[in-house]
Amino acid sequence: MARPLAVSPGLLRRKMIDRGFEILGILACLLGALALLALLWDLASDGAGRLSWEFLTSFPSRRAGSAGILSAWVGSALIMLVTALAAVPLGVAAGVYLEEYAPKNWLTALIEINIANLAGVPSIVYGLLALGLFVYQLHLGQSVLTAGLTLALLILPVVIITTREAIRAIPGHIREAAYALGATQWQVVKDHILPYSAGGIMTGVIIGLSRAIGETAPLITIGALTFIAFLPPPPFSAELPFLSLAWLKSSFTVLPIQMFNWISRPQPEFHHNAAAAGLVLMAMALSMNALGITVRYRYRKRIKW
Amino acid sequence: MTSTSSSTHFAVWRAAAFPTRDNRRRSKELVIQGALFFAALSSVLITLGIVSILLYESLSFFQTVPIRRFLTDTQWTPLFADAHYGILPLACGTMVTAAVGCLVALPLGTIVAIYLSEYAPYWVREFGKPFLELLSSVPTVVYGYFALLFVTPLLQKIIPGLPGFNMLSAGIVIGVMIIPYVSSVSEDAMRSVPMHLREASYAAGGTRLQTALRVVVPPAFSGIASAYILGFSRAIGETMVVAVAAGMQPNLTWDPREPAETITAYIVQVSLGDLPHGSVGYQTIFAAGLTLMLMTLAFNVAGYFLRKRFREVY
């Protein structure tokens, strides 16, 4: 009887190595997942006991047991508002220009290279820019406004890049059809490009903001205070003109800075506060991320060209 | 012919009858285009702002401290009575933590990228990639907490006598943080290698690993190198993890088990205090920031030439 086709030992060895690498790859992926789970478990086991309604509605305090994060999360929310208001119009406009208007010349190339490089600048350097420019040149002070603008500069490249990607996904025949009907360039952008790319742009904005909300270093650099036991003045007032912008000039603290402050203290009670603040921060950042991914997913499903 | 000329006649008639409508529309278009252009230009202004602020403050710093002493002095004690302004201890701390981070992130990130691109079934890739990217969306101060109060106690069980603040645990956590940057960009580069190259390799009897290492990685290398450079830049610029977990004492050592201060941690330390605007102490953070920028720039330029050297075009 003929022997079955001989399998060379070399082939077996190669297949074993191949299988070995597959297991290594799975282990490496699991290691990443494990690190994330360990981090969540560590935070939860230290901080979950401190989470309560009181913790969310109290000011920081010298006594760990009665300290809370009210001023911190209000500060974070107000700064996100300023950041979004500044970064979204500027970033979307820049993205629209680069995709729809920009001629192919050295200036456009310069702007494009520059945006790619800005995305790689360490965040603390933005803090130094803000300290020199906003705080000492423009005299905006160490305020909510300065902090919001700083983070807006930080996430601007993200907003521009995702806007461009969203616009690039729109097929050319949509534009051609609109131009054929006599629409001007701005009419095409306003009535077609922006509505069709809105989902993608929103994803970019949300992911940018989820990055901004966890940023600590640039805000410390502009001189954010770590102990704030008051809230900024409310944006609405009883007298005319009903709206007040005083909160923009108020000093502030944010969640990550509050957390950093508590970590830096030696007492373990404050570490538990830090863990609880970290849980709130993670919940905010991760839910924004999840929201961004959901928006992108639903949007992709809905539009078929 | 007739239709063309009649529409031309119509256009001429319309321009004569309603002179302002078209002009208004055209000027509105121009104004909008100009506004959009300035929005795009703002990114260049940000770069100019960063460069000029850093240079301006650093120049006045280098008028009090000669640049030779800045680069060669081995002590960094700008706020002491006996002030020394040597950037070496800070630069060294930055390099050591970044190197530890890369020792963790580059091998793991590359293995993950090869696995996801060449081995993983479709659903693993679709779920695995966004899940790993969550690692990079965790706020860095939370990673600092993790490094100081979870990783360091763990390491102290393995390495007895490890101080509470050390560069090792900060570096490892930075490494975990930048895995997704490395793996994501590398994987994109590998997936853009044309399928027929893989098919040829499989047809010649190559295993998946041989195909990955000899067929897919070489043409994707320029993209993988960008991923490495991106990861390393992130590691150099990382602030909060080192500020929390590596200690805030300048220490000129290459031993990652020791505490040390990085350039970024120094900037945080000074900013937490209250230094008067215009003092030499205030200017040191800009000189430190400039050094950080130049280090990042140097690696990016090196990466650019590396990519150019290995670029393959189909």
Side-chain angles (χ1 to χ4, degrees):
Chain A
M1 207 175 109
R3 282 201 310 158
L5 202 64
V7 176
S8 76
L11 179 62
L12 269 180
R13 215 188 61 225
R14 283 196 294 143
K15 286 211 150 184
M16 293 251 294
I17 296 174
D18 183 60
R19 187 40 69 90
F21 188 86
E22 182 169 17
I23 293 168
L24 191 68
I26 294 172
L27 284 180
C29 290
L30 286 180
L31 198 69
L34 198 71
L36 192 61
L37 290 180
L39 185 142
L40 283 173
W41 177 81
D42 182 38
L43 277 185
S45 67
D46 289 354
R50 284 289 295 130
L51 275 184
S52 65
W53 183 248
E54 266 196 302
F55 185 69
L56 295 177
T57 55
S58 306
F59 286 112
S61 157
R62 222 155 303 187
R63 279 165 301 138
S66 54
I69 54 169
L70 178 63
S71 48
W73 72 256
V74 171
S76 279
L78 289 177
I79 286 164
M80 284 306 105
L81 184 69
V82 177
T83 302
L85 286 180
V88 174
L90 200 59
V92 173
V96 167
Y97 177 80
L98 290 174
E99 280 302 311
E100 296 292 317
Y101 287 85
K104 265 199 169 21
N105 59 17
W106 63 270
L107 189 59
T108 308
L110 177 77
I111 293 175
E112 289 185 347
I113 293 170
N114 179 60
I115 289 169
N117 282 330
L118 270 186
V121 170
S123 65
I124 196 157
V125 172
Y126 284 92
L128 291 176
L129 168 69
L131 179 68
L133 185 68
F134 295 147
V135 177
Y136 288 117
Q137 296 290 329
L138 302 178
H139 300 289
L140 298 180
Q142 296 159 342
S143 60
V144 172
L145 181 63
T146 303
L149 291 179
T150 309
L151 295 184
L153 297 187
L154 186 72
I155 67 167
L156 194 62
V158 181
V159 178
I160 297 177
I161 290 167
T162 44
T163 301
R164 294 190 65 182
E165 276 168 7
I167 292 177
R168 219 174 295 152
I170 299 172
H173 58 74
I174 300 271
R175 294 178 188 87
E176 284 151 19
Y179 285 130
L181 291 174
T184 64
Q185 201 162 13
W186 173 241
Q187 284 170 329
V188 173
V189 167
K190 168 176 65 112
D191 296 333
H192 299 276
I193 302 297
L194 285 181
Y196 304 155
S197 57
I201 293 173
M202 210 137 81
T203 307
V205 169
I206 295 169
I207 286 178
L209 286 178
S210 82
R211 190 181 152 199
I213 202 165
E215 274 298 341
T216 325
L219 298 186
I220 291 181
T221 310
I222 62 173
L225 296 175
T226 46
F227 189 85
I228 295 273
F230 57 86
L231 290 182
F236 304 103
S237 59
E239 309 104 54
L240 281 168
F242 301 118
L243 281 176
S244 133
L245 291 177
W247 57 275
L248 283 175
K249 301 294 274 178
S250 166
S251 46
F252 67 96
T253 190
V254 289
L255 260 178
I257 292 183
Q258 184 63 64
M259 183 179 172
F260 175 62
N261 176 265
W262 280 332
I263 299 173
S264 326
R265 298 191 189 200
Q267 304 93 326
E269 296 83 26
F270 279 109
H271 290 168
H272 294 164
N273 281 355
L279 280 175
V280 177
L281 191 59
M282 287 278 284
M284 285 162 106
L286 292 186
S287 60
M288 281 167 86
N289 236 278
L291 183 70
I293 291 169
T294 320
V295 169
R296 177 165 61 193
Y297 181 72
R298 289 187 63 124
Y299 174 78
R300 264 196 200 153
K301 267 183 110 173
R302 213 183 55 214
I303 289 197
K304 295 213 167 57
W305 301 110
Chain B
M1 259 308 173
T2 42
S3 74
T4 320
S5 67
S6 74
S7 77
T8 321
H9 285 148
F10 174 72
V12 170
W13 167 80
R14 196 182 59 178
F18 304 103
T20 50
R21 183 171 170 271
D22 255 23
N23 286 349
R24 227 182 22 232
R25 210 163 115 152
R26 198 163 300 143
S27 54
K28 187 182 159 199
E29 288 286 316
L30 277 177
V31 167
I32 287 169
Q33 182 167 355
L36 294 178
F37 170 71
F38 277 107
L41 199 66
S42 68
S43 69
V44 179
L45 296 182
I46 295 173
T47 307
L48 285 180
I50 289 174
V51 171
S52 51
I53 290 273
L54 288 182
L55 282 181
Y56 173 75
E57 297 285 356
S58 298
L59 280 182
S60 28
F61 171 77
F62 286 124
Q63 275 166 5
T64 23
V65 180
I67 199 157
R68 209 172 55 82
R69 260 178 57 207
F70 182 71
L71 292 176
T72 55
D73 199 328
T74 54
Q75 282 185 65
W76 179 261
T77 53
L79 308 180
F80 290 6
D82 174 31
H84 284 272
Y85 301 96
I87 196 70
L88 281 179
L90 298 186
C92 185
T94 299
M95 293 304 294
V96 171
T97 44
V100 173
C102 285
L103 279 180
V104 172
L106 299 193
L108 276 177
T110 312
I111 291 172
V112 167
I114 293 179
Y115 174 74
L116 286 181
S117 157
E118 305 298 315
Y119 283 80
Y122 177 76
W123 65 271
V124 172
R125 187 163 59 238
E126 285 303 290
F127 285 94
K129 214 176 164 185
F131 189 78
L132 274 178
E133 276 167 11
L134 283 184
L135 279 177
S136 66
S137 64
V138 173
T140 55
V141 64
V142 174
Y143 272 120
Y145 181 92
F146 185 60
L148 181 68
L149 296 171
F150 186 86
V151 176
T152 297
L154 206 67
L155 287 174
Q156 278 169 333
K157 284 180 191 150
I158 306 167
I159 310 170
L162 188 74
F165 293 113
N166 61 78
M167 293 189 277
L168 186 61
S169 81
I172 290 174
V173 170
I174 289 176
V176 170
M177 193 172 85
I178 59 179
I179 286 176
Y181 290 102
V182 177
S183 67
S184 224
V185 180
S186 310
E187 200 238 22
D188 288 343
M190 288 185 207
R191 299 213 40 89
S192 66
V193 173
M195 212 50 176
H196 59 79
L197 290 183
R198 288 189 190 87
E199 281 154 6
S201 165
Y202 290 136
T207 62
R208 288 174 296 182
L209 185 62
Q210 287 173 314
T211 307
L213 294 184
R214 299 192 197 165
V215 176
V216 179
V217 168
F221 189 77
S222 82
I224 298 174
S226 327
Y228 288 180
I229 297 292
L230 179 71
F232 198 74
S233 311
R234 288 275 153 192
I236 286 182
E238 175 41 46
T239 309
M240 294 320 290
V241 177
V242 283
V244 170
M248 290 212 190
Q249 300 269 312
N251 185 0
L252 184 56
T253 173
W254 295 105
D255 184 354
R257 287 169 300 183
E258 286 195 34
E261 186 166 47
T262 64
I263 294 176
T264 50
Y266 171 73
I267 298 175
V268 163
Q269 187 190 17
V270 169
S271 307
L272 284 171
D274 201 16
L275 274 181
H277 175 222
S279 64
V280 180
Y282 170 83
Q283 287 161 353
T284 53
I285 62 175
F286 290 90
L290 184 66
T291 314
L292 184 69
M293 279 292 278
L294 289 178
M295 282 167 80
T296 319
L297 189 70
F299 280 103
N300 278 294
V301 170
Y304 174 78
F305 285 109
L306 198 68
R307 282 206 300 281
K308 231 175 152 183
R309 165 85 180 67
F310 287 100
R311 178 157 314 222
E312 288 189 26
V313 183
Y314 297 102

